[in-house]
Amino acid sequence: MTDIKELQEITKEFIDKRDWRKFHTIKDLAMNCSIESSELMEIFLWRNSEFENNILAGKDKDSLEMIKNEVSDILFSCFAIADHLKFNLEDAYRQKMSELDKRYDVKNVKGKLVKIPSPDNMKKDDHN
């Protein structure tokens, strides 16, 4: 089984073999992540719930392939950002999930659609 560290290394090797690191600023990688996310959203734009149901039921394999492709592009950008900034994406993800587990305590949110502000977002307001 491939782990996140191995996928991050595959991304690093891909970038280095092509000598692309010189083009990868944090800003451009973040923008690329956003653009790829927008391409994912575009697949769903102007579609109704039947579209999603067909994908879930395995009736629209072409759309599923497009979704997988865009999600992979997003993931590539995330791995590239982690590589550029030299942090372990698995550790960052586990830390984030731990924070979310505390913020969205099962007893308080199970079965409810809620948005609880991140403590980081509250701190950002202090800097404006």
Side-chain angles (χ1 to χ4, degrees):
M1 179 179 218
T2 304
D3 66 8
I4 291 177
K5 290 177 188 176
E6 185 177 345
L7 294 175
Q8 195 165 341
E9 184 61 32
I10 289 169
T11 304
K12 178 186 183 315
E13 289 175 12
F14 181 89
I15 292 165
D16 288 342
K17 283 181 183 177
R18 288 152 183 83
D19 194 23
W20 285 355
R21 189 167 302 281
K22 60 189 169 195
F23 305 117
H24 286 187
T25 65
I26 299 166
K27 172 193 67 84
D28 287 334
L29 291 169
M31 290 174 70
N32 189 60
C33 192
S34 178
I35 291 165
E36 296 300 345
S37 296
S38 294
E39 290 176 9
L40 174 63
M41 290 188 301
E42 187 177 28
I43 296 169
F44 294 94
L45 184 63
W46 312 121
R47 306 290 183 110
N48 59 26
S49 59
E50 184 180 347
F51 176 71
E52 184 175 339
N53 291 337
N54 285 337
I55 294 169
L56 290 169
K59 296 177 184 175
D60 189 346
K61 296 190 185 320
D62 290 340
S63 293
L64 178 60
E65 285 305 310
M66 290 187 331
I67 292 165
K68 288 165 54 175
N69 185 53
E70 296 307 334
V71 169
S72 295
D73 285 342
I74 296 164
L75 191 56
F76 175 87
S77 295
C78 293
F79 283 128
I81 290 169
D83 177 59
H84 192 77
L85 293 173
K86 297 179 179 16
F87 69 85
N88 182 301
L89 192 54
E90 182 175 359
D91 292 344
Y93 183 79
R94 288 181 184 280
Q95 181 178 342
K96 180 64 176 184
M97 290 307 299
S98 177
E99 175 208 317
L100 290 174
D101 190 46
K102 292 173 188 157
R103 191 171 8 142
Y104 292 97
D105 180 56
V106 174
K107 290 183 289 184
N108 296 321
V109 302
K110 187 171 183 174
K112 299 175 187 173
L113 182 60
V114 296
K115 171 72 174 146
I116 300 171
S118 163
D120 293 339
N121 287 341
M122 290 183 212
K123 290 177 191 172
K124 288 178 187 173
D125 290 339
D126 296 339
H127 298 294
N128 292 332

mmCIF file with all atom_site columns, all heavy atoms in Angstrom, residues 14-31:
data_model
loop_
_atom_site.group_PDB
_atom_site.id
_atom_site.type_symbol
_atom_site.label_atom_id
_atom_site.label_alt_id
_atom_site.label_comp_id
_atom_site.label_asym_id
_atom_site.label_entity_id
_atom_site.label_seq_id
_atom_site.pdbx_PDB_ins_code
_atom_site.Cartn_x
_atom_site.Cartn_y
_atom_site.Cartn_z
_atom_site.occupancy
_atom_site.B_iso_or_equiv
_atom_site.pdbx_formal_charge
_atom_site.auth_seq_id
_atom_site.auth_comp_id
_atom_site.auth_asym_id
_atom_site.auth_atom_id
_atom_site.pdbx_PDB_model_num
ATOM 1   N N   . PHE A 1 14 ? 8.779  13.952 -9.936  1.00 0.00 ? 14 PHE A N   1
ATOM 2   C CA  . PHE A 1 14 ? 8.162  14.418 -11.172 1.00 0.00 ? 14 PHE A CA  1
ATOM 3   C C   . PHE A 1 14 ? 8.575  15.861 -11.461 1.00 0.00 ? 14 PHE A C   1
ATOM 4   O O   . PHE A 1 14 ? 8.973  16.200 -12.576 1.00 0.00 ? 14 PHE A O   1
ATOM 5   C CB  . PHE A 1 14 ? 6.638  14.300 -11.056 1.00 0.00 ? 14 PHE A CB  1
ATOM 6   C CG  . PHE A 1 14 ? 5.889  14.732 -12.279 1.00 0.00 ? 14 PHE A CG  1
ATOM 7   C CD1 . PHE A 1 14 ? 5.608  13.834 -13.295 1.00 0.00 ? 14 PHE A CD1 1
ATOM 8   C CD2 . PHE A 1 14 ? 5.454  16.053 -12.413 1.00 0.00 ? 14 PHE A CD2 1
ATOM 9   C CE1 . PHE A 1 14 ? 4.911  14.236 -14.427 1.00 0.00 ? 14 PHE A CE1 1
ATOM 10  C CE2 . PHE A 1 14 ? 4.763  16.461 -13.544 1.00 0.00 ? 14 PHE A CE2 1
ATOM 11  C CZ  . PHE A 1 14 ? 4.491  15.550 -14.550 1.00 0.00 ? 14 PHE A CZ  1
ATOM 12  N N   . ILE A 1 15 ? 8.488  16.703 -10.432 1.00 0.00 ? 15 ILE A N   1
ATOM 13  C CA  . ILE A 1 15 ? 8.847  18.118 -10.576 1.00 0.00 ? 15 ILE A CA  1
ATOM 14  C C   . ILE A 1 15 ? 10.330 18.269 -10.884 1.00 0.00 ? 15 ILE A C   1
ATOM 15  O O   . ILE A 1 15 ? 10.726 19.003 -11.800 1.00 0.00 ? 15 ILE A O   1
ATOM 16  C CB  . ILE A 1 15 ? 8.458  18.899 -9.304  1.00 0.00 ? 15 ILE A CB  1
ATOM 17  C CG1 . ILE A 1 15 ? 6.933  18.958 -9.170  1.00 0.00 ? 15 ILE A CG1 1
ATOM 18  C CG2 . ILE A 1 15 ? 9.074  20.298 -9.289  1.00 0.00 ? 15 ILE A CG2 1
ATOM 19  C CD1 . ILE A 1 15 ? 6.446  19.380 -7.789  1.00 0.00 ? 15 ILE A CD1 1
ATOM 20  N N   . ASP A 1 16 ? 11.177 17.555 -10.128 1.00 0.00 ? 16 ASP A N   1
ATOM 21  C CA  . ASP A 1 16 ? 12.626 17.699 -10.287 1.00 0.00 ? 16 ASP A CA  1
ATOM 22  C C   . ASP A 1 16 ? 13.112 17.170 -11.637 1.00 0.00 ? 16 ASP A C   1
ATOM 23  O O   . ASP A 1 16 ? 14.001 17.775 -12.253 1.00 0.00 ? 16 ASP A O   1
ATOM 24  C CB  . ASP A 1 16 ? 13.362 17.008 -9.138  1.00 0.00 ? 16 ASP A CB  1
ATOM 25  C CG  . ASP A 1 16 ? 13.220 17.769 -7.825  1.00 0.00 ? 16 ASP A CG  1
ATOM 26  O OD1 . ASP A 1 16 ? 12.870 18.972 -7.858  1.00 0.00 ? 16 ASP A OD1 1
ATOM 27  O OD2 . ASP A 1 16 ? 13.446 17.156 -6.765  1.00 0.00 ? 16 ASP A OD2 1
ATOM 28  N N   . LYS A 1 17 ? 12.558 16.076 -12.123 1.00 0.00 ? 17 LYS A N   1
ATOM 29  C CA  . LYS A 1 17 ? 12.969 15.533 -13.433 1.00 0.00 ? 17 LYS A CA  1
ATOM 30  C C   . LYS A 1 17 ? 12.702 16.528 -14.553 1.00 0.00 ? 17 LYS A C   1
ATOM 31  O O   . LYS A 1 17 ? 13.395 16.541 -15.567 1.00 0.00 ? 17 LYS A O   1
ATOM 32  C CB  . LYS A 1 17 ? 12.229 14.223 -13.729 1.00 0.00 ? 17 LYS A CB  1
ATOM 33  C CG  . LYS A 1 17 ? 12.773 13.033 -12.989 1.00 0.00 ? 17 LYS A CG  1
ATOM 34  C CD  . LYS A 1 17 ? 11.991 11.776 -13.360 1.00 0.00 ? 17 LYS A CD  1
ATOM 35  C CE  . LYS A 1 17 ? 12.472 10.582 -12.582 1.00 0.00 ? 17 LYS A CE  1
ATOM 36  N NZ  . LYS A 1 17 ? 11.677 9.372  -12.885 1.00 0.00 ? 17 LYS A NZ  1
ATOM 37  N N   . ARG A 1 18 ? 11.713 17.363 -14.394 1.00 0.00 ? 18 ARG A N   1
ATOM 38  C CA  . ARG A 1 18 ? 11.342 18.330 -15.413 1.00 0.00 ? 18 ARG A CA  1
ATOM 39  C C   . ARG A 1 18 ? 11.938 19.717 -15.149 1.00 0.00 ? 18 ARG A C   1
ATOM 40  O O   . ARG A 1 18 ? 11.686 20.648 -15.908 1.00 0.00 ? 18 ARG A O   1
ATOM 41  C CB  . ARG A 1 18 ? 9.819  18.407 -15.508 1.00 0.00 ? 18 ARG A CB  1
ATOM 42  C CG  . ARG A 1 18 ? 9.260  17.147 -16.163 1.00 0.00 ? 18 ARG A CG  1
ATOM 43  C CD  . ARG A 1 18 ? 7.853  16.830 -15.723 1.00 0.00 ? 18 ARG A CD  1
ATOM 44  N NE  . ARG A 1 18 ? 7.414  15.580 -16.332 1.00 0.00 ? 18 ARG A NE  1
ATOM 45  C CZ  . ARG A 1 18 ? 7.700  14.361 -15.857 1.00 0.00 ? 18 ARG A CZ  1
ATOM 46  N NH1 . ARG A 1 18 ? 8.432  14.228 -14.758 1.00 0.00 ? 18 ARG A NH1 1
ATOM 47  N NH2 . ARG A 1 18 ? 7.279  13.277 -16.473 1.00 0.00 ? 18 ARG A NH2 1
ATOM 48  N N   . ASP A 1 19 ? 12.689 19.836 -14.064 1.00 0.00 ? 19 ASP A N   1
ATOM 49  C CA  . ASP A 1 19 ? 13.305 21.109 -13.668 1.00 0.00 ? 19 ASP A CA  1
ATOM 50  C C   . ASP A 1 19 ? 12.260 22.217 -13.564 1.00 0.00 ? 19 ASP A C   1
ATOM 51  O O   . ASP A 1 19 ? 12.447 23.327 -14.034 1.00 0.00 ? 19 ASP A O   1
ATOM 52  C CB  . ASP A 1 19 ? 14.413 21.494 -14.661 1.00 0.00 ? 19 ASP A CB  1
ATOM 53  C CG  . ASP A 1 19 ? 15.307 22.601 -14.111 1.00 0.00 ? 19 ASP A CG  1
ATOM 54  O OD1 . ASP A 1 19 ? 15.378 22.765 -12.869 1.00 0.00 ? 19 ASP A OD1 1
ATOM 55  O OD2 . ASP A 1 19 ? 15.911 23.322 -14.930 1.00 0.00 ? 19 ASP A OD2 1
ATOM 56  N N   . TRP A 1 20 ? 11.152 21.905 -12.935 1.00 0.00 ? 20 TRP A N   1
ATOM 57  C CA  . TRP A 1 20 ? 10.048 22.850 -12.791 1.00 0.00 ? 20 TRP A CA  1
ATOM 58  C C   . TRP A 1 20 ? 10.073 23.604 -11.469 1.00 0.00 ? 20 TRP A C   1
ATOM 59  O O   . TRP A 1 20 ? 9.318  24.549 -11.281 1.00 0.00 ? 20 TRP A O   1
ATOM 60  C CB  . TRP A 1 20 ? 8.703  22.127 -12.906 1.00 0.00 ? 20 TRP A CB  1
ATOM 61  C CG  . TRP A 1 20 ? 8.331  21.728 -14.288 1.00 0.00 ? 20 TRP A CG  1
ATOM 62  C CD1 . TRP A 1 20 ? 8.981  22.007 -15.450 1.00 0.00 ? 20 TRP A CD1 1
ATOM 63  C CD2 . TRP A 1 20 ? 7.185  20.956 -14.653 1.00 0.00 ? 20 TRP A CD2 1
ATOM 64  N NE1 . TRP A 1 20 ? 8.315  21.464 -16.509 1.00 0.00 ? 20 TRP A NE1 1
ATOM 65  C CE2 . TRP A 1 20 ? 7.210  20.801 -16.056 1.00 0.00 ? 20 TRP A CE2 1
ATOM 66  C CE3 . TRP A 1 20 ? 6.149  20.370 -13.944 1.00 0.00 ? 20 TRP A CE3 1
ATOM 67  C CZ2 . TRP A 1 20 ? 6.227  20.106 -16.742 1.00 0.00 ? 20 TRP A CZ2 1
ATOM 68  C CZ3 . TRP A 1 20 ? 5.182  19.670 -14.629 1.00 0.00 ? 20 TRP A CZ3 1
ATOM 69  C CH2 . TRP A 1 20 ? 5.222  19.543 -16.019 1.00 0.00 ? 20 TRP A CH2 1
ATOM 70  N N   . ARG A 1 21 ? 10.926 23.189 -10.548 1.00 0.00 ? 21 ARG A N   1
ATOM 71  C CA  . ARG A 1 21 ? 10.939 23.809 -9.229  1.00 0.00 ? 21 ARG A CA  1
ATOM 72  C C   . ARG A 1 21 ? 11.123 25.335 -9.327  1.00 0.00 ? 21 ARG A C   1
ATOM 73  O O   . ARG A 1 21 ? 10.526 26.084 -8.567  1.00 0.00 ? 21 ARG A O   1
ATOM 74  C CB  . ARG A 1 21 ? 12.042 23.191 -8.371  1.00 0.00 ? 21 ARG A CB  1
ATOM 75  C CG  . ARG A 1 21 ? 11.992 23.605 -6.919  1.00 0.00 ? 21 ARG A CG  1
ATOM 76  C CD  . ARG A 1 21 ? 12.895 22.739 -6.071  1.00 0.00 ? 21 ARG A CD  1
ATOM 77  N NE  . ARG A 1 21 ? 12.555 21.326 -6.159  1.00 0.00 ? 21 ARG A NE  1
ATOM 78  C CZ  . ARG A 1 21 ? 11.546 20.742 -5.501  1.00 0.00 ? 21 ARG A CZ  1
ATOM 79  N NH1 . ARG A 1 21 ? 10.807 21.460 -4.698  1.00 0.00 ? 21 ARG A NH1 1
ATOM 80  N NH2 . ARG A 1 21 ? 11.301 19.462 -5.636  1.00 0.00 ? 21 ARG A NH2 1
ATOM 81  N N   . LYS A 1 22 ? 11.895 25.777 -10.291 1.00 0.00 ? 22 LYS A N   1
ATOM 82  C CA  . LYS A 1 22 ? 12.146 27.214 -10.450 1.00 0.00 ? 22 LYS A CA  1
ATOM 83  C C   . LYS A 1 22 ? 10.875 27.996 -10.813 1.00 0.00 ? 22 LYS A C   1
ATOM 84  O O   . LYS A 1 22 ? 10.817 29.201 -10.636 1.00 0.00 ? 22 LYS A O   1
ATOM 85  C CB  . LYS A 1 22 ? 13.237 27.460 -11.493 1.00 0.00 ? 22 LYS A CB  1
ATOM 86  C CG  . LYS A 1 22 ? 12.910 26.929 -12.874 1.00 0.00 ? 22 LYS A CG  1
ATOM 87  C CD  . LYS A 1 22 ? 14.132 27.032 -13.782 1.00 0.00 ? 22 LYS A CD  1
ATOM 88  C CE  . LYS A 1 22 ? 13.904 26.255 -15.070 1.00 0.00 ? 22 LYS A CE  1
ATOM 89  N NZ  . LYS A 1 22 ? 15.149 26.043 -15.775 1.00 0.00 ? 22 LYS A NZ  1
ATOM 90  N N   . PHE A 1 23 ? 9.855  27.297 -11.304 1.00 0.00 ? 23 PHE A N   1
ATOM 91  C CA  . PHE A 1 23 ? 8.598  27.951 -11.656 1.00 0.00 ? 23 PHE A CA  1
ATOM 92  C C   . PHE A 1 23 ? 7.578  27.884 -10.515 1.00 0.00 ? 23 PHE A C   1
ATOM 93  O O   . PHE A 1 23 ? 6.551  28.557 -10.568 1.00 0.00 ? 23 PHE A O   1
ATOM 94  C CB  . PHE A 1 23 ? 7.971  27.298 -12.887 1.00 0.00 ? 23 PHE A CB  1
ATOM 95  C CG  . PHE A 1 23 ? 8.890  27.245 -14.069 1.00 0.00 ? 23 PHE A CG  1
ATOM 96  C CD1 . PHE A 1 23 ? 9.298  26.025 -14.586 1.00 0.00 ? 23 PHE A CD1 1
ATOM 97  C CD2 . PHE A 1 23 ? 9.368  28.413 -14.660 1.00 0.00 ? 23 PHE A CD2 1
ATOM 98  C CE1 . PHE A 1 23 ? 10.139 25.966 -15.681 1.00 0.00 ? 23 PHE A CE1 1
ATOM 99  C CE2 . PHE A 1 23 ? 10.217 28.360 -15.756 1.00 0.00 ? 23 PHE A CE2 1
ATOM 100 C CZ  . PHE A 1 23 ? 10.610 27.132 -16.269 1.00 0.00 ? 23 PHE A CZ  1
ATOM 101 N N   . HIS A 1 24 ? 7.857  27.053 -9.523  1.00 0.00 ? 24 HIS A N   1
ATOM 102 C CA  . HIS A 1 24 ? 6.875  26.780 -8.477  1.00 0.00 ? 24 HIS A CA  1
ATOM 103 C C   . HIS A 1 24 ? 7.033  27.709 -7.284  1.00 0.00 ? 24 HIS A C   1
ATOM 104 O O   . HIS A 1 24 ? 7.663  27.381 -6.293  1.00 0.00 ? 24 HIS A O   1
ATOM 105 C CB  . HIS A 1 24 ? 6.985  25.318 -8.029  1.00 0.00 ? 24 HIS A CB  1
ATOM 106 C CG  . HIS A 1 24 ? 6.422  24.361 -9.016  1.00 0.00 ? 24 HIS A CG  1
ATOM 107 N ND1 . HIS A 1 24 ? 6.286  23.031 -8.748  1.00 0.00 ? 24 HIS A ND1 1
ATOM 108 C CD2 . HIS A 1 24 ? 5.941  24.533 -10.266 1.00 0.00 ? 24 HIS A CD2 1
ATOM 109 C CE1 . HIS A 1 24 ? 5.756  22.426 -9.796  1.00 0.00 ? 24 HIS A CE1 1
ATOM 110 N NE2 . HIS A 1 24 ? 5.547  23.320 -10.725 1.00 0.00 ? 24 HIS A NE2 1
ATOM 111 N N   . THR A 1 25 ? 6.420  28.863 -7.394  1.00 0.00 ? 25 THR A N   1
ATOM 112 C CA  . THR A 1 25 ? 6.338  29.735 -6.224  1.00 0.00 ? 25 THR A CA  1
ATOM 113 C C   . THR A 1 25 ? 5.139  29.265 -5.399  1.00 0.00 ? 25 THR A C   1
ATOM 114 O O   . THR A 1 25 ? 4.228  28.611 -5.920  1.00 0.00 ? 25 THR A O   1
ATOM 115 C CB  . THR A 1 25 ? 6.130  31.205 -6.625  1.00 0.00 ? 25 THR A CB  1
ATOM 116 O OG1 . THR A 1 25 ? 4.853  31.335 -7.261  1.00 0.00 ? 25 THR A OG1 1
ATOM 117 C CG2 . THR A 1 25 ? 7.236  31.687 -7.554  1.00 0.00 ? 25 THR A CG2 1
ATOM 118 N N   . ILE A 1 26 ? 5.142  29.602 -4.138  1.00 0.00 ? 26 ILE A N   1
ATOM 119 C CA  . ILE A 1 26 ? 4.013  29.233 -3.283  1.00 0.00 ? 26 ILE A CA  1
ATOM 120 C C   . ILE A 1 26 ? 2.736  29.853 -3.826  1.00 0.00 ? 26 ILE A C   1
ATOM 121 O O   . ILE A 1 26 ? 1.689  29.206 -3.892  1.00 0.00 ? 26 ILE A O   1
ATOM 122 C CB  . ILE A 1 26 ? 4.279  29.659 -1.826  1.00 0.00 ? 26 ILE A CB  1
ATOM 123 C CG1 . ILE A 1 26 ? 5.512  28.946 -1.295  1.00 0.00 ? 26 ILE A CG1 1
ATOM 124 C CG2 . ILE A 1 26 ? 3.069  29.347 -0.949  1.00 0.00 ? 26 ILE A CG2 1
ATOM 125 C CD1 . ILE A 1 26 ? 6.056  29.523 -0.010  1.00 0.00 ? 26 ILE A CD1 1
ATOM 126 N N   . LYS A 1 27 ? 2.825  31.100 -4.251  1.00 0.00 ? 27 LYS A N   1
ATOM 127 C CA  . LYS A 1 27 ? 1.662  31.799 -4.808  1.00 0.00 ? 27 LYS A CA  1
ATOM 128 C C   . LYS A 1 27 ? 1.106  31.053 -6.016  1.00 0.00 ? 27 LYS A C   1
ATOM 129 O O   . LYS A 1 27 ? -0.103 30.805 -6.103  1.00 0.00 ? 27 LYS A O   1
ATOM 130 C CB  . LYS A 1 27 ? 2.038  33.219 -5.213  1.00 0.00 ? 27 LYS A CB  1
ATOM 131 C CG  . LYS A 1 27 ? 0.949  33.974 -5.969  1.00 0.00 ? 27 LYS A CG  1
ATOM 132 C CD  . LYS A 1 27 ? 1.449  35.256 -6.626  1.00 0.00 ? 27 LYS A CD  1
ATOM 133 C CE  . LYS A 1 27 ? 2.410  35.028 -7.740  1.00 0.00 ? 27 LYS A CE  1
ATOM 134 N NZ  . LYS A 1 27 ? 1.856  34.743 -9.047  1.00 0.00 ? 27 LYS A NZ  1
ATOM 135 N N   . ASP A 1 28 ? 1.965  30.675 -6.940  1.00 0.00 ? 28 ASP A N   1
ATOM 136 C CA  . ASP A 1 28 ? 1.487  30.003 -8.151  1.00 0.00 ? 28 ASP A CA  1
ATOM 137 C C   . ASP A 1 28 ? 0.934  28.617 -7.852  1.00 0.00 ? 28 ASP A C   1
ATOM 138 O O   . ASP A 1 28 ? -0.046 28.188 -8.470  1.00 0.00 ? 28 ASP A O   1
ATOM 139 C CB  . ASP A 1 28 ? 2.596  29.923 -9.196  1.00 0.00 ? 28 ASP A CB  1
ATOM 140 C CG  . ASP A 1 28 ? 2.881  31.278 -9.831  1.00 0.00 ? 28 ASP A CG  1
ATOM 141 O OD1 . ASP A 1 28 ? 1.959  32.128 -9.857  1.00 0.00 ? 28 ASP A OD1 1
ATOM 142 O OD2 . ASP A 1 28 ? 4.007  31.486 -10.300 1.00 0.00 ? 28 ASP A OD2 1
ATOM 143 N N   . LEU A 1 29 ? 1.550  27.905 -6.921  1.00 0.00 ? 29 LEU A N   1
ATOM 144 C CA  . LEU A 1 29 ? 1.024  26.594 -6.544  1.00 0.00 ? 29 LEU A CA  1
ATOM 145 C C   . LEU A 1 29 ? -0.339 26.721 -5.879  1.00 0.00 ? 29 LEU A C   1
ATOM 146 O O   . LEU A 1 29 ? -1.247 25.925 -6.153  1.00 0.00 ? 29 LEU A O   1
ATOM 147 C CB  . LEU A 1 29 ? 2.011  25.867 -5.621  1.00 0.00 ? 29 LEU A CB  1
ATOM 148 C CG  . LEU A 1 29 ? 3.308  25.415 -6.282  1.00 0.00 ? 29 LEU A CG  1
ATOM 149 C CD1 . LEU A 1 29 ? 4.300  24.948 -5.222  1.00 0.00 ? 29 LEU A CD1 1
ATOM 150 C CD2 . LEU A 1 29 ? 3.051  24.323 -7.319  1.00 0.00 ? 29 LEU A CD2 1
ATOM 151 N N   . ALA A 1 30 ? -0.510 27.733 -5.030  1.00 0.00 ? 30 ALA A N   1
ATOM 152 C CA  . ALA A 1 30 ? -1.814 27.960 -4.399  1.00 0.00 ? 30 ALA A CA  1
ATOM 153 C C   . ALA A 1 30 ? -2.851 28.341 -5.441  1.00 0.00 ? 30 ALA A C   1
ATOM 154 O O   . ALA A 1 30 ? -3.998 27.864 -5.404  1.00 0.00 ? 30 ALA A O   1
ATOM 155 C CB  . ALA A 1 30 ? -1.691 29.042 -3.326  1.00 0.00 ? 30 ALA A CB  1
ATOM 156 N N   . MET A 1 31 ? -2.464 29.181 -6.386  1.00 0.00 ? 31 MET A N   1
ATOM 157 C CA  . MET A 1 31 ? -3.385 29.565 -7.450  1.00 0.00 ? 31 MET A CA  1
ATOM 158 C C   . MET A 1 31 ? -3.759 28.355 -8.301  1.00 0.00 ? 31 MET A C   1
ATOM 159 O O   . MET A 1 31 ? -4.923 28.191 -8.684  1.00 0.00 ? 31 MET A O   1
ATOM 160 C CB  . MET A 1 31 ? -2.763 30.663 -8.314  1.00 0.00 ? 31 MET A CB  1
ATOM 161 C CG  . MET A 1 31 ? -2.646 31.994 -7.588  1.00 0.00 ? 31 MET A CG  1
ATOM 162 S SD  . MET A 1 31 ? -1.750 33.251 -8.526  1.00 0.00 ? 31 MET A SD  1
ATOM 163 C CE  . MET A 1 31 ? -2.928 33.589 -9.819  1.00 0.00 ? 31 MET A CE  1
#
